[in-house]
Amino acid sequence: MAPVRHLISIDDLSDTDLYSLVLRGAAFSAGTAGRPAPLAGDVVGIYFRKTSTRTRTAFSSGALRLGAQIIAYGPDDLQLNTGETSEDTGRVMSGMLDVLVARTAGDPAEMRAWAAQDRMAVVNAMSADEHPTQALTDLTTLQGHFGGIEGLRVLYVGEGNNTASALALALTRYPGVSLELRTPPGYGLAPYYRERAADQAGRHGATFRERHDMDDLPADQDAVYTSRWQTTGTSKPDPDWREIFAPFQVSAALWETSPKAVFLHDLPAHRGDEVTAEVLDGPASIAFAQAENKMHSAMAVLEWCRP
Ligand code: CP
């Protein structure tokens, strides 16, 4: 059997891997992927140190549907809490698990340490810097809705958080895509992701911009995306952060210049904060189909991990 494949960052995927994972997720979503059981006999560990409704359920349900059995660990269950090293943890678990899906909301170096073996695939279900399986879900949703991603115009409004970082790494690999981010001042993408997205866009014939205001928004967008202001596992030290974020709420006014845009949200949502209820629950919103796609995309990821 070929060595397992780890997914800790979108950077871990070749262009071919990225494009085929998105197409495969869309096939699961459309019901055209058949009913394969490539993980029959496998055991998948699900280790979530932070809260999750969608991602944990998506990978658990997806693994079961692909024929695997699962072991779920809560935040206090592993000896990591008593000082066992990440390297030892990965080495031990790799003798008993085939895949480990983990949410830490911490430094991805810990996942890289778990992945320093080739028997157990490690999947990042959200670290502090990046949420790669969310980006795969988002592209799966765009693929399913538009029939393709090349040439789409996407406006992201909100914090440059781990969802935005992964989205920027993934979308800028598609020719003709326009990705514009409007992030509150002081809450933009981390420099690595901004520079990497700009570089990739240049190489793939895409465009990428980030601004920190809501003036002169681009018109005729295909999709408008936002994310919760209080990203899971984080807090904002500035007590006045809400004043900075307030102009970045997504409201129906945005649809005056982009009347055909669909609305995406990684969820969970806080209606009245990052988005109005009118938009989230309105006709442009495909956010709940996007949430369901977390499972379809998770199945594509699990299948890819075990070639
Ligand atoms: N979007 C997302 O990651 O949702 P959960 O935090 O519920 O997994």
Side-chain angles (χ1 to χ4, degrees), residues 90-131:
R91 190 171 168 185
V92 168
M93 290 185 119
S94 70
M96 307 180 200
L97 297 176
D98 301 290
V99 183
L100 176 64
V101 179
R103 169 170 291 188
T104 63
D107 187 336
E110 183 180 23
M111 294 189 192
R112 295 274 173 215
W114 297 336
Q117 41 72 36
D118 61 6
R119 298 167 74 191
M120 174 186 75
V122 177
V123 176
N124 177 0
M126 197 176 93
S127 53
D129 62 332
E130 202 180 318
H131 197 353

Side-chain angles (χ1 to χ4, degrees), residues 25-277:
F28 277 116
S29 181
T32 57
R35 292 187 67 83
L39 272 65
D42 283 1
V43 180
V44 175
I46 306 281
Y47 173 39
F48 274 61
R49 227 184 259 161
K50 298 288 178 183
T51 54
S52 168
T53 296
R54 277 145 290 273
T55 316
R56 179 172 171 165
T57 309
F59 274 95
S60 302
S61 179
L64 290 167
R65 287 167 194 263
L66 292 175
Q69 299 189 65
I70 60 175
I71 300 175
Y73 307 96
D76 302 322
D77 289 350
L78 298 182
Q79 297 286 20
L80 283 160
N81 288 18
T82 63
E84 187 165 25
T85 68
S86 299
E87 288 76 7
D88 288 354
T89 302
R91 190 171 168 185
V92 168
M93 290 185 119
S94 70
M96 307 180 200
L97 297 176
D98 301 290
V99 183
L100 176 64
V101 179
R103 169 170 291 188
T104 63
D107 187 336
E110 183 180 23
M111 294 189 192
R112 295 274 173 215
W114 297 336
Q117 41 72 36
D118 61 6
R119 298 167 74 191
M120 174 186 75
V122 177
V123 176
N124 177 0
M126 197 176 93
S127 53
D129 62 332
E130 202 180 318
H131 197 353
T133 65
Q134 183 65 49
L136 293 174
T137 297
D138 302 337
L139 270 60
T140 295
T141 304
L142 292 170
Q143 175 72 39
H145 187 83
F146 292 103
I149 296 175
E150 290 190 11
L152 290 181
R153 293 154 294 183
V154 179
L155 173 65
Y156 176 93
V157 179
E159 189 172 20
N161 61 9
N162 44 22
T163 286
S165 298
L167 185 71
L169 286 188
L171 265 182
T172 52
R173 293 217 221 156
Y174 283 79
V177 157
S178 160
L179 174 62
E180 178 144 343
L181 277 76
R182 296 301 183 100
T183 52
Y187 295 92
L189 282 188
Y192 170 79
Y193 292 96
R194 192 170 55 244
E195 287 157 22
R196 178 94 177 144
D199 175 62
Q200 287 189 163
R203 285 189 283 113
H204 288 83
T207 57
F208 169 80
R209 288 183 216 89
E210 182 180 23
R211 283 175 58 163
H212 304 299
D213 60 62
M214 289 292 276
D215 299 333
D216 306 317
L217 289 175
D220 299 323
Q221 297 298 288
D222 296 300
V224 175
Y225 193 138
T226 194
S227 181
R228 193 165 74 158
W229 286 347
Q230 288 169 301
T231 301
T232 301
T234 69
S235 59
K236 295 179 173 50
D238 177 1
D240 300 324
W241 68 267
R242 281 187 173 278
E243 286 171 32
I244 299 169
F245 275 65
F248 294 84
Q249 183 188 69
V250 172
S251 71
L254 248 158
W255 272 259
E256 289 168 13
T257 52
S258 291
K260 294 183 181 163
V262 295
F263 174 69
L264 293 106
H265 192 309
D266 55 349
L267 302 178
H270 278 183
R271 292 169 177 81
D273 271 9
E274 74 277 5
V275 62
T276 62

